[in-house]
Amino acid sequence: MRGAAVGAVAATATVTPFALSAAHAAPTTGFLHGVASGDPLPTAVVLWTRVTPTADAVPGSGRGPRVKVTWEVATDDDFTRIVRRGQIATGTERDHTVKVDASGLTPGTRYAYRFRSGGATSPTGWTRTAPAPSSTPSRLRLGVVSCSNWEAGWFSAYRHLAARGDLDAVLHMGDYLYEYPTGEYGAGETVVRTTQPTHEIVTLADYRVRHGHYKTDPDLQALHAVAPWITTWDDHESANDAWIDGAENHQPETEGAWADRAAASRRAYDEWMPIRLSGTATLGDGNQVYRELSFGTLADLRMLDLRSYRSEQASYAALGQVGSPDRTIAGDAQMGWLKESLSGSSATWKLVGNPVMISPVTFGAVDAEVGQALNDMGGLVPPEGIPYNVDQWDGYTADRRELIDHLADHAIPNTVFITGDIHSAWACDLPKNVGTYPFSPSVAVEFVGTSVTSDNLDDILQVAPRTVSLTVEAAIRTANPHVRYLDFDRHGFSVLTLTPSRAQMDWYALADRTDPASPVRWSAGFETLPGTQRARRVWYPAT
């Protein structure tokens, strides 16, 4: 979603991917788009790169010869102790990308990896396998990012996160890139740097070019190279406010069938991201993004897909429809899988990677039974209050009620939703009955990370930070007392630290997203303790 402090966007930088002296031209062949790893399992991890065999074999061009690429995994960065090696062929049919599932590895181990082809050697990346299923790590630390819009700023957040050196993995909660033409969605009315291609992306070639352009950013490359990523898509990986049969900015009469555009965007995502779709790193074997990964007995993580199966968003002229049981955000199969996964988990922390916000953000909420009765009488009144944003779970309250009731009825403890999309920072309790909170119990907590670069409220209104937004934040928190923290104005990243005794989200804010050298500072922290299902403020970052 865009145009409010509720959307999500993804960004990167237009700097050459390697540091070069002025006396040398940028390379035109080799591994120009960096390396990446993802979806760590105890004995396997996905490895990714893209090779440019000839100068004309640029992303989306359909040009360049078919070549062989060797991949290597080692326990040292000199690659004197190589533990796994393989070879894969790539060509125009996959845009010269390379994605392999390196298996036979040791749980809980840090590895170096690289690629070689035609005399060129890639940069070295570092990855880490997940802990053994029976082990209990003393700590798990996850970087959390979302909404990185190239034209709205620099990816300094990625650079600062990469420099920490203590991440077990990075969660990207969606809007890794944006589909808009240049100039349509920058930093307010300013384009900080121009994206490629300059037109709105619609075709497979378009999506390939945009993915390739994002991965020339050195800060994005740096973060991909230091830790495995666990990603999901939101709407802008395809088009704004996407749903199962369309999107807000898709025009079938000029842009063709939505099914074709959706398929193109998903194919490019499969090619360009270190992810297993439908459980496999092999291209074209499926489109299922929702999946589960485990980190010993400390935590398990479910990544959701809230675009591929959802009903069309309700119009603001018919808000009573948001509670209809005929409407879904998750789809029946994914909802069934999610509930079963939560019920069957014995991990201390049950994480849900959630592309759009699940906590109610409404006005005029009443007791849930009363609200539902009023809705049933004529369908004119939303059952849980007037929603702030129908693109979130607030627009699909029957699905949310089903999930909340499941958490409550089965007494499932320590569920933590990790969310992106809304370009702002939130810490929320998730009430069983929003209209009677705080007397109603909380069944989970939600931590929402802000955007890497995409517009926040002050950017949209073009006002000074922490001015108008303070009034809006106060109004939202007054109407929604389960919202424990809200910041509409900052850009940056978050870090989620898990131990057996607590889960803490720390937010870090950039001084200026339009400054490629912007410093960063800790801005807030909230934690939840086992068995509480409530968030509380802390006054220092997790160590």
Side-chain angles (χ1 to χ4, degrees), residues 105-131:
L105 305 178
T106 302
T109 301
R110 188 170 184 251
Y111 290 101
Y113 65 95
R114 69 183 180 185
F115 301 85
R116 294 184 293 109
S117 182
T121 301
S122 75
T124 296
W126 287 93
T127 191
R128 182 181 293 276
T129 52

Side-chain angles (χ1 to χ4, degrees), residues 264-301:
S265 69
R266 290 167 183 168
R267 171 68 188 198
Y269 192 91
D270 194 4
E271 292 171 348
W272 280 86
M273 299 297 289
I275 186 175
R276 295 183 188 90
L277 295 184
S278 300
T280 173
T282 303
L283 295 182
D285 277 7
N287 288 318
Q288 182 179 309
V289 170
Y290 66 86
R291 63 204 189 281
E292 181 176 353
L293 298 101
S294 295
F295 300 87
T297 65
L298 180 61
D300 46 35
L301 167 68

Side-chain angles (χ1 to χ4, degrees), residues 206-438:
D206 292 341
Y207 284 102
R208 285 169 165 174
V209 173
R210 188 67 56 89
H211 272 280
H213 190 227
Y214 269 63
K215 280 193 169 70
T216 63
D217 183 273
D219 295 331
L220 178 58
Q221 287 192 13
L223 186 55
H224 269 305
V226 299
W229 283 44
I230 303 169
T231 70
T232 188
W233 55 47
D234 192 30
D235 52 343
H236 292 289
E237 285 85 357
S238 54
N240 184 50
D241 286 0
W243 56 288
I244 189 170
D245 287 327
E248 176 273 334
N249 60 334
H250 179 72
Q251 313 302 321
E253 62 276 10
T254 57
E255 295 172 332
W258 169 251
D260 293 340
R261 183 175 183 176
S265 69
R266 290 167 183 168
R267 171 68 188 198
Y269 192 91
D270 194 4
E271 292 171 348
W272 280 86
M273 299 297 289
I275 186 175
R276 295 183 188 90
L277 295 184
S278 300
T280 173
T282 303
L283 295 182
D285 277 7
N287 288 318
Q288 182 179 309
V289 170
Y290 66 86
R291 63 204 189 281
E292 181 176 353
L293 298 101
S294 295
F295 300 87
T297 65
L298 180 61
D300 46 35
L301 167 68
R302 301 138 196 88
M303 297 296 282
L304 302 186
D305 176 359
L306 300 181
R307 293 293 166 184
S308 298
Y309 316 105
R310 72 156 70 194
S311 309
E312 187 174 8
Q313 294 82 353
S315 72
Y316 279 95
L319 288 179
Q321 296 178 2
V322 301
S324 169
D326 296 329
R327 293 171 43 73
T328 182
I329 190 172
D332 291 343
Q334 183 175 201
M335 179 62 80
W337 162 84
L338 176 58
K339 292 192 299 181
E340 182 178 355
S341 171
L342 290 166
S343 297
S345 173
S346 59
T348 300
W349 298 106
K350 300 155 189 67
L351 307 180
V352 181
N354 180 46
V356 298
M357 198 167 171
I358 190 170
S359 298
V361 185
T362 61
F363 297 90
V366 297
D367 176 85
E369 291 186 5
V370 172
Q372 190 61 57
L374 291 172
N375 182 258
D376 291 343
M377 288 172 62
L380 299 178
V381 180
E384 297 181 32
I386 304 300
Y388 172 63
N389 176 10
V390 296
D391 190 56
Q392 301 176 172
W393 287 75
D394 277 332
Y396 305 85
T397 58
D399 267 13
R400 181 169 63 197
R401 174 54 45 202
E402 180 179 348
L403 183 55
I404 287 175
D405 286 348
H406 182 79
L407 292 170
D409 295 346
H410 292 79
I412 299 171
N414 309 334
T415 301
V416 181
F417 289 85
I418 307 300
T419 304
D421 177 70
I422 199 170
H423 304 184
S424 44
W426 304 65
C428 305
D429 298 338
L430 185 58
K432 174 73 165 65
N433 188 335
V434 64
T436 59
Y437 181 91

Side-chain angles (χ1 to χ4, degrees), residues 129-141:
T129 52
S134 60
S135 67
T136 302
S138 60
R139 189 189 74 182
L140 178 68
R141 182 156 285 166

Side-chain angles (χ1 to χ4, degrees), residues 69-129:
V69 178
T70 298
W71 56 271
E72 297 172 331
V73 179
T75 55
D76 66 311
D77 57 4
D78 291 330
F79 289 84
T80 60
R81 297 188 298 274
I82 294 175
V83 297
R84 288 290 180 272
R85 177 188 282 120
Q87 193 173 77
I88 184 174
T90 186
T92 56
E93 79 285 352
R94 55 185 299 151
D95 207 22
H96 285 98
T97 59
V98 172
K99 188 162 68 170
V100 298
D101 208 339
S103 59
L105 305 178
T106 302
T109 301
R110 188 170 184 251
Y111 290 101
Y113 65 95
R114 69 183 180 185
F115 301 85
R116 294 184 293 109
S117 182
T121 301
S122 75
T124 296
W126 287 93
T127 191
R128 182 181 293 276
T129 52

